[in-house]
Amino acid sequence: LESALRRGAGVRVVYHAKAGDPQTAENERYLARLPVPLKKARVTSSIFHQKFVVLSRLAADGRRQPTAVLTGSTNFTSNAVYRQANVVHIVEDPALAEDYLGLFEHLFSGEPPRATKRYIDQANPIGSGAREVAFGRPYGNPFRRSHMRRRLS
């Protein structure tokens, strides 16, 4: 985060928040240098297990043009990266990155968790006629699974 800010990258963050939760306090300490309009606490009783980062460029008209997504179950901590058995994928696919950017914008808008489930159900890019293939255990977000289905359809 610090390196990205020093380079002048535009960074926005949605983070897990829960009253009295030590992880929330740690998240807020880590994000203290990020200006308030660029961070949003997602207050929920459960953790959004799948984490993701969308790489996008700003077009001349100011719109974000997503180009890639990093996604998986890995927490963004040294312990998770170097000691735990988690999964992370980097997918350079503008269409999938656009799906994730839509989800991020929804989360950043501050809608409650139930509205997020409705958004995911409505925004799922796979039609009902798609052939389903299971890949491991999807964590709370159908976009990753849907992308694999789209590739195999």
Side-chain angles (χ1 to χ4, degrees):
L1 179 63
E2 292 291 327
S3 176
L5 292 172
R6 279 192 303 271
R7 288 191 320 270
V11 176
R12 296 182 300 154
V13 175
V14 175
Y15 65 94
H16 169 71
K18 182 178 174 183
D21 179 30
Q23 185 61 53
T24 299
E26 184 178 335
N27 291 343
E28 290 172 346
R29 275 192 306 277
Y30 181 76
L31 296 171
R33 294 188 59 181
L34 193 62
V36 171
L38 302 179
K39 58 188 171 187
K40 183 76 68 171
R42 180 170 168 75
V43 180
T44 178
S45 60
S46 58
I47 296 174
F48 191 65
H49 190 72
Q50 183 192 24
K51 290 71 172 184
F52 61 94
V53 174
V54 178
L55 174 65
S56 59
R57 307 277 185 222
L58 285 180
D61 64 3
R63 287 183 306 113
R64 288 181 170 78
Q65 295 180 316
T67 59
V69 64
L70 179 146
T71 183
S73 61
T74 305
N75 291 321
F76 298 133
T77 65
S78 295
N79 188 50
V81 170
Y82 296 110
R83 294 182 179 169
Q84 297 175 354
N86 284 298
V87 174
V88 66
H89 305 278
I90 297 173
V91 183
E92 295 175 334
D93 179 330
L96 181 65
E98 181 74 40
D99 291 342
Y100 273 93
L101 181 60
L103 176 58
F104 177 83
E105 296 295 354
H106 175 83
L107 294 169
F108 200 77
S109 76
E111 289 285 333
R114 286 180 195 226
T116 300
K117 181 183 181 329
R118 283 192 302 275
Y119 172 84
I120 289 171
D121 289 346
Q122 292 168 358
N124 188 337
I126 299 303
S128 60
R131 175 172 66 119
E132 182 164 346
V133 178
F135 284 91
R137 182 175 168 206
Y139 289 104
N141 184 333
F143 287 127
R144 182 174 74 204
R145 186 175 56 218
S146 298
H147 176 69
M148 298 307 274
R149 286 188 209 142
R150 181 171 42 222
R151 294 274 188 194
L152 295 170
S153 295

